Amino acid sequence: QVHLVESGGGLVQAGDSLRLSCAASGPGFSDYAMGWFRQAPGKEREFVAVLGWIPGSIYYADSVKGRFTASRDNAKNTLYLQMNSLKPEDTAVYYCAASMTSFTTYARLYDIWGQGTQVTVSS
């Protein structure tokens, strides 16, 4: 199974952009639906975006639609999240996750998780 490592987080100001990456090691990256989630302090883990096996199959949470763009490069075994027009409420630890069976917004249906990368947006 794949092992996931996120990178690209940091401290930015409101309105700035960041690009997160999720590098997958191990076989079969293209066999997984890949999700992005985030968790703010004291809150439950929240769905951000999911990319399916079929090119172009992407679904976003309403809170990020139009500002965030998720993509995957199966040749590089990497998942991306381009985040534009960042807001203080986007502050959270961002996780990538892999599901062999489900194109879903439900965190419990993902089998493999990265360790997370912190994104902090100041006002």
Side-chain angles (χ1 to χ4, degrees):
Q1 65 180 27
V2 297
H3 176 66
L4 304 175
V5 178
E6 302 94 336
S7 61
L11 172 62
V12 297
Q13 293 186 332
D16 285 351
S17 298
L18 272 178
R19 188 193 197 200
L20 305 183
S21 298
C22 170
S25 59
F29 175 73
S30 62
D31 295 333
Y32 291 88
M34 298 299 299
W36 283 104
F37 290 80
R38 65 187 183 185
Q39 189 165 19
K43 295 187 176 182
E44 293 188 354
R45 195 163 294 190
E46 176 189 21
F47 166 77
V48 174
V50 57
L51 296 90
W53 303 269
I54 301 172
S57 58
I58 306 174
Y59 182 75
Y60 296 96
D62 287 343
S63 59
V64 306
K65 200 174 296 182
R67 298 188 299 121
F68 290 11
T69 302
S71 60
R72 65 190 298 170
D73 186 335
N74 288 339
K76 295 182 178 180
N77 281 7
T78 304
L79 179 73
Y80 303 99
L81 185 67
Q82 177 67 44
M83 306 185 295
N84 299 330
S85 302
L86 282 162
K87 305 175 181 180
E89 51 263 43
D90 294 319
T91 295
V93 178
Y94 283 71
Y95 299 89
C96 62
S99 173
M100 182 66 80
T101 59
S102 302
F103 178 82
T104 181
T105 64
Y106 292 98
R108 66 179 182 273
L109 295 181
Y110 286 81
D111 312 298
I112 304 166
W113 291 82
Q115 84 291 347
T117 186
Q118 176 70 47
V119 172
T120 303
V121 184
S122 63
S123 58

